[in-house]
Amino acid sequence: MNAPKTVFPDIISSRLEDLWGAPLPGEEAPQYFDSLRKAQEKLLELLPESDRTEAQDLLTEIEGLSERLRHLYVRFAYIQGLQDGGKLREVLGGAPANC
């Protein structure tokens, strides 16, 4: 059975590369949020007082869209994990995956 020898290393090395290059969960997020807040405050300071309310509304909308994108990436990662698990099950056990 050559399939495990060819597919298994690809799956593992691919996921290991992803994990190796990624920051630890929660490690950088607080810094990014602080930087984002400071950038937003600075942007608002650059605007005339009359435009700040509208700009704040836009910044709030951007934050919401960013949060939705983050949730999408989490779902993509979860789906990728399910697919990898299905492939691994196929390779190791020969049983069809239900993914």
Side-chain angles (χ1 to χ4, degrees):
M1 181 176 199
N2 288 334
K5 292 179 182 176
T6 58
V7 177
F8 184 72
D10 291 341
I11 293 171
I12 298 300
S13 64
S14 171
R15 294 293 75 78
L16 287 175
E17 287 175 19
D18 292 345
L19 291 172
W20 184 262
L24 293 174
E27 190 174 79
E28 295 182 25
Q31 294 172 355
Y32 290 150
F33 281 118
D34 287 344
S35 296
L36 180 63
R37 293 280 179 241
K38 289 176 184 175
Q40 288 175 337
E41 290 171 6
K42 186 174 182 177
L43 179 63
L44 290 174
E45 289 173 5
L46 295 172
L47 296 171
E49 189 71 37
S50 60
D51 294 332
R52 288 185 186 167
T53 301
E54 185 178 357
Q56 183 60 55
D57 291 342
L58 289 172
L59 289 173
T60 301
E61 184 177 346
I62 290 169
E63 284 179 12
L65 291 170
S66 298
E67 185 67 15
R68 288 168 63 187
L69 282 171
R70 186 180 67 82
H71 286 278
L72 280 175
Y73 279 112
V74 169
R75 278 191 269 168
F76 287 149
Y78 181 76
I79 290 168
Q80 184 65 53
L82 290 175
Q83 290 173 343
D84 287 349
K87 288 177 188 176
L88 188 59
R89 187 178 306 134
E90 280 182 33
V91 170
L92 294 178
N98 293 327
C99 294

